[in-house]
Amino acid sequence: MKVSRTCPACGYTADYSSAPLANARHPRHSCVKHRRGLDQARRRTERLLARVTRECTHPKARHAHGTRAAYVKDRCRCTKCSAANTAAGRIVTRERMYGRWQPYIDADPVRQHIAALRAAGIGVERIAALAGLSVSHTRELAEPGRGKSRGTRRVRPSTATRVLSIGINETSRAPHSRVDATGTRRRLQALIAIGWPAKLLANLLGRRPNSLQRSMTGQSVTARTAHDIATLYERLWNSRPPRMTGKQRAAADAAQAHAAAQGWPTPLAWDDIDTDPTPPALTASPVRQHEMDEIAIERAVAGDSISYDDLTAVEQQEVVRRLTAHGSSIREIAARLGTTKRTVSRRRASFGAA
């Protein structure tokens, strides 16, 4: 017959085979040890309860409940996460039975791509940031066999996909890395050649004019500067600068005159502005008022947001002549070009039209 004893101080309870044995053994128990065990059990229970409702705290991914990632990474033991982990384990077992289980692939293509990226000036830290990997893992892939290590010979397919998707181009470079300034210089020169003043370009880029001048004369620029100027060039290469006021027209004419004196090509002179050989220097044309821009004329005739003041004298004459030949009245021409009927009438009279 068993005899039970309970400590009134700590609540420790034990069963003994006889009363004499209980009287001898029970007073020897440690209340401190029993309380410590109760406290440890309480903490374990709290941790288990917390795991069930734990939200994802991963720094680089948001794991959803009901997935194996939440079960493994976030230690969530809810029913859905546990079921997802079990299902994933069954898939692995089945794939292994059929000989189709390949959780890793050869790391050589990944290593060769990293070597090509580094040869193009894209560093290990930048590669790690673009691929979402740790710097140490990326460096181990890039430099295998250092010291006693044999290096990484296999990688997961997802890791290989992320690394191989990084392009060998300027956008992959770190913002403060240095790149060749040829394309940047040509883009700025081409914009100035069609009338965009350097000061206005600097304002659009959020820079000072002397900083923009350094980008035009230096041998290299930062990758961020090259990207910003390339983006601005794509927006402005087929647009004319503002010519609403006399000051704007004077600035645009001065920019074109300076570009003509330097022999800078316009955007249409380039097929690939980054890699084309430098074309022969253009002959200077100091007097802008005698030039004729066929694109500007066609846009003005079509009513494509080109006003009378945006055109040079010879362009104004040609636009009025073409619109008159198309049968447009003085009122219609004035409305299309944003000018007065008197101005149009004078232009028509200059080439003998009523």
Side-chain angles (χ1 to χ4, degrees):
M1 180 177 180
K2 291 185 178 181
V3 177
S4 178
R5 292 285 189 273
T6 300
C7 178
C10 66
Y12 174 75
T13 300
D15 294 329
Y16 303 95
S17 60
S18 64
L21 188 60
N23 294 334
R25 294 282 184 88
H26 192 71
R28 299 178 186 176
H29 82 275
S30 172
C31 294
V32 175
K33 181 179 180 181
H34 180 65
R35 292 192 181 99
R36 185 166 61 245
L38 292 176
D39 188 54
Q40 291 175 350
R42 179 184 57 80
R43 288 199 299 267
R44 282 197 300 269
T45 303
E46 291 176 352
R47 285 198 296 269
L48 290 174
L49 292 175
R51 287 176 183 175
V52 173
T53 58
R54 176 179 178 180
E55 295 294 334
C56 178
T57 58
H58 196 273
K60 295 183 180 179
R62 298 299 300 171
H63 302 126
H65 279 295
T67 62
R68 185 175 184 275
Y71 184 92
V72 176
K73 297 293 186 181
D74 296 330
R75 298 178 179 274
C76 178
R77 297 299 185 262
C78 70
T79 303
K80 293 183 179 180
C81 291
S82 299
N85 181 66
T86 302
R90 288 172 178 170
I91 292 174
V92 171
T93 301
R94 184 168 56 251
E95 293 297 309
R96 283 176 174 167
M97 290 175 60
Y98 289 114
R100 299 181 305 201
W101 178 243
Q102 293 181 345
Y104 299 99
I105 61 175
D106 186 17
D108 284 340
V110 178
R111 186 173 297 110
Q112 293 171 8
H113 188 67
I114 292 177
L117 290 171
R118 299 182 72 186
I122 304 171
V124 171
E125 294 185 1
R126 179 62 175 171
I127 295 172
L130 293 174
L133 304 174
S134 67
V135 177
S136 60
H137 184 35
T138 306
R139 184 169 288 113
E140 185 178 359
L141 286 172
E143 303 173 4
R146 295 189 303 173
K148 297 181 180 179
S149 174
R150 299 179 61 187
T152 301
R153 294 184 296 175
R154 299 187 302 166
V155 295
R156 291 193 178 276
S158 59
T159 300
T161 300
R162 283 186 284 179
V163 174
L164 296 175
S165 64
I166 301 174
I168 305 177
N169 49 49
E170 301 299 334
T171 59
S172 297
R173 291 179 178 271
H176 296 291
S177 62
R178 306 295 297 187
V179 299
D180 183 68
T182 300
T184 300
R185 179 170 58 252
R186 289 176 174 179
R187 287 178 172 86
L188 292 173
Q189 292 174 352
L191 291 176
I192 295 174
I194 59 175
W196 288 93
K199 185 176 181 180
L200 179 57
L201 294 176
N203 290 336
L204 293 174
L205 291 167
R207 301 174 58 186
R208 295 187 298 273
N210 59 345
S211 175
L212 193 70
Q213 181 65 24
R214 288 196 298 270
S215 297
M216 296 182 64
T217 57
Q219 296 299 315
S220 65
V221 294
T222 64
R224 176 175 295 170
T225 296
H227 178 266
D228 291 345
I229 292 177
T231 302
L232 181 67
Y233 177 81
E234 291 300 319
R235 182 159 60 93
L236 300 181
W237 74 268
N238 60 347
S239 303
R240 294 173 65 86
R243 302 176 68 93
M244 301 298 294
T245 65
K247 184 176 181 180
Q248 289 176 337
R249 289 193 292 272
D253 291 341
Q256 285 185 307
H258 177 70
Q262 298 294 325
W264 292 345
T266 62
L268 295 178
W270 302 101
D271 287 330
D272 188 333
I273 199 168
D274 291 301
T275 60
D276 282 353
T278 304
L282 303 177
T283 56
S285 179
V287 184
R288 169 72 171 82
Q289 291 297 323
H290 295 295
E291 295 180 357
M292 185 180 296
D293 188 341
E294 187 63 30
I295 295 178
I297 293 173
E298 292 179 358
R299 291 180 61 189
V301 171
D304 188 14
S305 303
I306 297 293
S307 67
Y308 186 84
D309 291 336
D310 290 336
L311 305 170
T312 64
V314 292
E315 291 168 352
Q316 293 168 355
Q317 184 87 0
E318 180 62 17
V319 170
V320 173
R321 186 192 67 77
R322 293 188 186 184
L323 289 174
T324 301
H326 292 165
S328 299
S329 65
I330 293 177
R331 183 188 299 274
E332 293 170 342
I333 296 174
R336 176 166 296 188
L337 297 179
T339 187
T340 63
K341 294 186 290 184
R342 181 182 179 124
T343 299
V344 175
S345 180
R346 286 201 302 266
R347 284 294 180 189
R348 286 165 64 106
S350 65
F351 54 83

